[in-house]
Amino acid sequence: MSTVAIAPEDPTLALLTVEEAARRLRIGRTLCFQLIRSGELESVTLGHLRRVPADAVHEYVTRLRQSHRSATVAVAAA
């Protein structure tokens, strides 16, 4: 059995690869690309490279948490 070492997050990185963004979100690369395509996760291109701004990951998580809270309140109110 092999183990994969996870490098600690580097807070100085402004742009992440799609793989790095997926790793921070603990999702797969394919799902990360789906989020990018749908516009849910912001990305930019540099030449032929696709990058995700580091703050876009945090913004996405914030939106998820807000929508979860809204859904929880709506269910509780019903």
Side-chain angles (χ1 to χ4, degrees):
M1 178 195 261
S2 66
T3 59
V4 177
I6 299 177
E9 291 182 10
D10 182 350
T12 63
L13 293 177
L15 295 174
L16 307 171
T17 66
V18 174
E19 291 80 6
E20 289 168 334
R23 198 173 312 122
R24 286 189 182 191
L25 291 168
R26 303 296 194 257
I27 62 174
R29 180 178 173 269
T30 302
L31 179 56
C32 196
F33 272 111
Q34 288 174 351
L35 293 172
I36 290 168
R37 267 194 299 282
S38 71
E40 293 180 69
L41 182 61
E42 179 188 357
S43 71
V44 296
T45 54
L46 295 171
H48 295 288
L49 304 174
R50 169 89 36 207
R51 294 292 184 255
V52 177
D55 61 339
V57 173
H58 298 290
E59 291 168 5
Y60 173 72
V61 171
T62 300
R63 284 194 308 276
L64 275 179
R65 293 177 75 186
Q66 288 172 345
S67 67
H68 177 71
R69 285 185 189 133
S70 297
T72 303
V73 169
V75 170

